Amino acid sequence: MAETPASVADAGPSVTAGLLVVTAVPVEAEAVRAGLTDPSVTVAPVGVGPAAAGAATARLLALAEAAGRPYQAVISAGVAGGFTGRVAVGATVLGDRSIAADLGAESPEGFLPVDDLGMPPEVLGGGSDLPADPALLAGLRARLPRATVGPVLTVSTVTGTAASTAALTARHPTAVAEAMEGYGVAVAAAQAGLPFAELRTISNPIGPRDRSAWRMREALTALTAAAAALG
């Protein structure tokens, strides 16, 4: 595995060259860039959902390696929904794990994660639950001491009913946020042998879909503030 950028791991003043920060959409990328002080950090919007984000991230990593300027770490950043009672709207979240929350199968006993379906490990791509790089996460925690740390779920369908919220909360009792890209980006980073972490700011509570309750401006402002930890 490539080394974690030293200045992140040591909570130093900036990030060394070689950090790739990916977001889903351009407005998130703009918010991240607005908070950076190190121009060597690359920020790129890679699309919505785990498939688009994973494929685009893998392509960026491969192109950089082929050009002789490989990235040294990858961070998935953007806004997310937060679990009520665990994290507040406008807060910053650091994912200690990125979990593919809807990758698996239904059964009479309930949802079965893909890891429990009896497939050989080599076809699971590391499984549905990928941990953040410990050194990279430690550096971010040191620079963002007020951030809430916990699992961030990756879903292909955003949770929008009371029933689905209750089921997801029961399956993941320590999860703090839900987004749509982190796991895909984590898989791309793992395949490239690179450290990975996930940084999110909360725009809305997870639950019955209510756009009037979303605070996107506040979440993007918080994302800009948090990006200062990246360099």
Side-chain angles (χ1 to χ4, degrees), residues 31-50:
V32 171
R33 291 189 190 105
L36 293 173
T37 59
D38 187 343
S40 71
V41 177
T42 299
V43 184
V46 291
V48 175

Side-chain angles (χ1 to χ4, degrees), residues 38-207:
D38 187 343
S40 71
V41 177
T42 299
V43 184
V46 291
V48 175
T57 300
R59 181 174 184 272
L60 290 172
L61 296 177
L63 288 173
E65 184 173 0
R69 298 186 297 273
Y71 291 108
Q72 299 301 308
V74 184
I75 292 177
S76 176
V79 302
F83 282 86
T84 301
R86 301 178 189 173
V87 63
V89 171
T92 297
V93 163
L94 294 171
D96 59 6
R97 316 190 71 80
S98 294
I99 300 174
D102 52 12
L103 182 61
E106 292 183 332
S107 78
E109 292 74 34
F111 179 81
L112 297 175
V114 69
D115 312 68
D116 296 343
L117 299 183
M119 298 180 186
E122 59 268 20
V123 305
L124 295 179
S128 62
D129 183 340
L130 298 179
D133 178 77
L136 185 57
L137 178 61
L140 291 170
R141 292 185 70 171
R143 302 202 68 184
L144 295 167
R146 299 181 64 181
T148 300
V149 181
V152 176
L153 308 183
T154 298
V155 296
S156 295
T157 301
V158 172
T159 305
T161 68
S164 58
T165 301
L168 197 65
T169 301
R171 289 209 311 268
H172 300 281
T174 62
V176 294
E178 169 192 274
M180 300 183 75
E181 295 79 32
Y183 175 78
V185 178
V187 170
Q191 292 289 324
L194 295 178
F196 165 83
E198 188 165 2
L199 167 66
R200 298 281 174 178
T201 55
I202 304 303
S203 60
N204 59 281
I206 293 171

